[in-house]
């Protein structure tokens, strides 16, 4: 399982732009330029095993400089239960 932080301060940048355009533009550009590196740095991978009653969760170390898998490089969206593969869906 991958845990990927969603870094988005677009609304805050627009609010700052109304108060101080230089700060608002600066925060928007910083977010645009550093979003991918911060996302890669904050991403964590876990291996989940065991049974439903006694699960095991182990952190998987990534090599320095190793990017995100292509699937995770896409914009973040909230997963839905219907989009989960059958093997990963919760038992009924």
């Amino acid at each position: 399982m991958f845990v990927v932080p969603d870094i988005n301060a677009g609304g805050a940048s627009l609010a700052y732009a109304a108060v101080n355009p230089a700060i608002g533009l600066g925060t928007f550009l910083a977010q645009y330029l550093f979003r991918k590196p911060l996302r890669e740095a904050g991403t964590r991978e876990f291996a989940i095993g065991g049974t439903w009653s006694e699960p095991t969760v182990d952190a998987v170390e990534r090599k320095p400089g190793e990017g995100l898998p292509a699937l995770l490089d896409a914009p973040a969206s909230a997963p839905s239960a219907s989009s989960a593969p059958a093997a990963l869906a919760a038992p009924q």
Side-chain angles (χ1 to χ4, degrees), residues 8-9 12-13 17 26 35 44 52 66 71 73 77 85:
N8 186 355
S13 295
R35 185 176 202 175
R44 300 291 180 255
W52 283 104
E66 183 180 357
L71 176 66
D73 215 8
S77 62

Side-chain angles (χ1 to χ4, degrees), residues 12-92:
S13 295
L14 291 175
Y16 281 127
V19 175
N20 186 333
I23 292 176
L25 182 60
T27 58
F28 181 78
L29 288 175
Q31 174 190 339
Y32 180 76
L33 294 173
F34 298 118
R35 185 176 202 175
K36 186 173 179 179
L38 289 173
R39 195 169 164 201
E40 286 180 10
T43 297
R44 300 291 180 255
E45 182 179 357
F46 298 95
I48 301 175
T51 63
W52 283 104
S53 60
E54 295 180 20
T56 59
V57 180
D58 299 311
V60 176
E61 295 296 322
R62 290 189 299 143
K63 297 175 187 169
E66 183 180 357
L68 294 177
L71 176 66
L72 297 177
D73 215 8
S77 62
S80 65
S82 62
S83 68
L88 298 177
Q92 298 180 6

